[in-house]
């Protein structure tokens, strides 16, 4: 056994994927892209997405798509490509999301001999990627249509990632207007109208996603939650992941540092302390290098996360439901940000199991 460890029940991931795919097609949409970035393109978990019916595997990092090269489902690059990676983009991604004509030209050069598909992103107010001005969008459409090695595949939007804009029917309707605009101006049918991420999920079943035929889902599939209101999505598992870390020290100590003068902690912050008197404190072998300790929640509600440094996390286990000892393993629930950093840490073992 090796710790710290992040465990995921692949059957729950498959169930969530299949349920969302059914719900998406049940809402008259055609395809679902399953986003692999939170688990850094882990092949076993990606296989769960494919088994659950994902139409595309999508990731923001080309290195993760490279790991998934053997999968036959089409791969989508979510982050606008860097000019320095266009050769890899056309090699490992079938589709990329784009918003810069210069980059599209470079992709066209790199894609000689094949057809690389592009989705043009529009910014509908969230102020991350995408064409903000309509004329710039149509200029890009015209440019791509003249490029021999690119296929203009669709239009897309991303919301609720930077600007926290909640998707609404009137916002997403503009995406369909862009599709119609391309049809009217260029007599060209866009195949994909990609209406966002897990923040659009709350609108499913309400007839509020006009013209949208694709969603790109990450959080919803791995955690069973939507990201507009942070609600659990009915019928999905929200507990597929467990993080485990081992106790390396267990001692009774005061709950406030014992000195007259306090400076800053290892991260330059001025810490604050709640005086609970002398408490039983456990140190577990995981630190901020692996995960922000505010993003993990002990499954035993008697345990409190007090804080930590790069390699140590300190818990108050006085009220734990069992008598903790050195070597015991503490289980935690995780949120999306915690999964992202735990998967990125090479010091954390990953275990995929069938529950
Ligand atoms: C462009 C794009 N689409 C979709 C997603 C998936 O987002 P979510 O995890 O909220 O479903 C992301 C983020 O991972 C993204 O950057």
């Amino acid at each position: 056994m090796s710790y710290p460890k992040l465990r995921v029940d692949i059957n729950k991931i498959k169930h969530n994927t299949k349920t969302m795919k059914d719900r998406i097609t049940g809402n008259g949409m055609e395809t679902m892209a399953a986003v692999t970035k939170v688990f850094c393109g882990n092949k076993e978990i990606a296989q769960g997405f494919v088994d659950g019916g994902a139409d595309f595997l999508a990731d923001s990092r080309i290195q993760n798509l490279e790991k998934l090269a053997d999968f036959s489902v089409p791969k989508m690059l979510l982050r606008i490509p860097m000019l320095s990676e266009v050769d890899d983009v056309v090699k490992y991604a079938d589709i990329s999301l784009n918003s810069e004509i210069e980059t599209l030209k470079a992709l066209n050069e790199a894609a000689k001999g094949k057809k690389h598909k592009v989705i043009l992103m529009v910014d509908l107010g969230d102020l991350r990627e995408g064409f903000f001005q309509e004329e710039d969008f149509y200029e890009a459409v015209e440019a791509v249509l003249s490029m021999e090695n690119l296929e203009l595949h669709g239009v897309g939007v991303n919301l609720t990632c930077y600007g926290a804009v909640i998707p609404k029917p009137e916002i997403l309707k503009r995406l369909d207007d862009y599709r119609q605009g391309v049809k009217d101006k260029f007599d060209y049918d866009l195949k994909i109208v990609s209406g966002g991420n897990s923040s659009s999920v709350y609108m499913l079943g309400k007839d509020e996603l006009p013209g949208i035929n694709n969603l790109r889902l990450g959080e919803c599939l791995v955690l069973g939650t939507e990201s507009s209101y942070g609600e659990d999505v009915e019928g999905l598992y929200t507990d597929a992941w467990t993080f485990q870390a081992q106790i390396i020290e267990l001692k009774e100590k005061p709950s406030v540092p014992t000195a007259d003068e306090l400076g800053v902690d290892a991260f330059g912050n001025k810490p604050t302390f709640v005086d609970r008197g002398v408490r039983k404190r456990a140190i577990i072998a995981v630190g901020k290098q692996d995960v922000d300790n505010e993003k993990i929640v002990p499954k035993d509600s008697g345990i409190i996360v007090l804080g930590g440094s790069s390699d140590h996390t300190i818990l108050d286990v006085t009220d734990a439901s069992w008598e903790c000892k050195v070597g015991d393993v503490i289980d935690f629930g995780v949120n999306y940000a915690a999964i992202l950093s735990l998967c990125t840490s090479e010091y954390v073992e990953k275990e995929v199991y069938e529950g």
Side-chain angles (χ1 to χ4, degrees):
M1 290 284 178
S2 158
Y3 298 102
K5 184 189 293 182
L6 183 65
R7 307 183 73 224
V8 59
D9 180 344
I10 196 64
N11 285 337
K12 290 186 174 171
I13 300 292
K14 265 187 231 174
H15 167 90
N16 287 358
T17 309
K18 182 172 183 331
T19 305
M20 287 313 298
K21 174 69 190 296
D22 290 348
R23 217 162 270 176
I24 280 175
T25 48
N27 270 252
M29 286 186 224
E30 288 161 22
T31 55
M32 178 179 81
V35 177
T36 53
K37 70 167 216 192
V38 70
F39 49 80
C40 304
N42 176 300
K43 288 172 81 168
E44 277 179 276
I45 310 173
Q47 185 64 54
F49 279 169
V50 173
D51 294 346
D55 300 287
F56 307 98
L57 292 176
D59 204 295
S60 49
R61 314 270 171 153
I62 201 68
Q63 294 93 329
N64 292 342
L65 291 186
E66 184 178 350
K67 288 186 207 166
L68 302 172
D70 294 342
F71 285 83
S72 57
V73 290
K75 262 78 75 193
M76 185 185 276
L77 181 67
L78 293 174
R79 186 172 66 187
I80 309 303
M82 291 183 269
L83 282 171
S84 56
E85 67 181 352
V86 289
D87 288 337
D88 282 341
V89 173
V90 299
K91 189 166 172 194
Y92 297 115
D94 304 278
I95 306 173
S96 60
L97 310 186
N98 284 274
S99 63
E100 288 292 343
I101 292 185
E102 194 183 348
T103 309
L104 288 159
K105 283 183 188 156
L107 283 171
N108 185 46
E109 277 297 303
K112 277 200 179 109
K114 46 179 118 167
K115 276 270 179 199
H116 179 75
K117 299 184 171 78
V118 298
I119 292 178
L120 296 182
M121 296 299 278
V122 291
D123 184 343
L124 300 183
D126 205 56
L127 304 185
R128 203 179 75 179
E129 75 275 43
F131 293 98
F132 197 75
Q133 305 293 349
E134 278 189 30
E135 57 271 28
D136 294 344
F137 170 80
Y138 290 115
E139 190 190 327
V141 169
E142 190 171 10
V144 174
L145 289 177
S146 73
M147 292 181 196
E148 222 181 319
N149 308 311
L150 298 187
E151 179 188 320
L152 181 60
H153 201 54
V155 60
V157 68
N158 198 65
L159 297 165
T160 343
C161 268
Y162 172 71
V165 169
I166 306 252
K168 301 275 175 185
E170 60 276 16
I171 297 177
L172 292 182
K173 165 84 177 60
R174 289 181 54 206
L175 207 56
D176 195 44
D177 293 343
Y178 275 108
R179 182 201 55 76
Q180 189 60 48
V182 173
K183 175 77 182 158
D184 295 345
K185 289 182 203 303
F186 302 95
D187 191 25
Y188 187 89
D189 289 312
L190 293 175
K191 292 196 182 69
I192 288 197
V193 182
S194 187
N197 54 42
S198 297
S199 68
S200 295
V201 164
Y202 86 97
M203 301 171 81
L204 288 170
K206 295 183 188 163
D207 242 5
E208 288 181 341
L209 291 157
I212 306 295
N213 64 15
N214 165 274
L215 292 181
R216 310 175 307 272
L217 302 183
E219 176 174 332
C220 180
L221 306 185
V222 295
L223 273 179
T225 46
E226 56 78 36
S227 54
S228 269
Y229 300 100
E231 303 280 349
D232 295 352
V233 178
E234 206 192 323
L236 301 191
Y237 288 109
T238 55
D239 60 349
W241 304 78
T242 305
F243 174 59
Q244 301 182 311
Q246 190 165 38
I247 297 179
I248 53 172
E249 182 189 291
L250 184 73
K251 296 194 188 306
E252 291 206 339
K253 297 186 188 180
S255 32
V256 176
T258 59
D260 293 336
E261 191 183 10
L262 298 182
V264 292
D265 67 16
F267 282 72
N269 301 313
K270 218 171 169 34
T272 55
F273 302 93
V274 179
D275 193 352
R276 299 186 178 94
V278 173
R279 306 284 290 180
K280 203 186 295 170
R281 296 157 67 94
I283 300 179
I284 50 172
V286 65
K288 290 185 186 176
Q289 184 164 0
D290 312 293
V291 68
D292 175 351
N293 56 54
E294 290 180 7
K295 307 279 190 277
I296 56 175
V297 179
K299 296 217 169 169
D300 184 331
S301 58
I303 298 178
I304 304 166
V305 179
L306 296 172
S309 53
S310 326
D311 309 306
H312 302 79
T313 300
I314 302 163
L315 311 176
D316 182 332
V317 295
T318 317
D319 299 326
S321 61
W322 80 100
E323 196 61 40
C324 295
K325 56 183 191 317
V326 170
D328 280 357
V329 171
I330 309 286
D331 285 0
F332 296 85
V334 286
N335 68 8
Y336 193 82
I339 299 172
L340 187 67
S341 60
L342 288 166
C343 283
T344 305
S345 172
E346 63 176 271
Y347 306 101
V348 176
E349 178 165 325
K350 287 86 185 171
E351 186 190 344
V352 180
Y353 68 98
E354 297 200 32

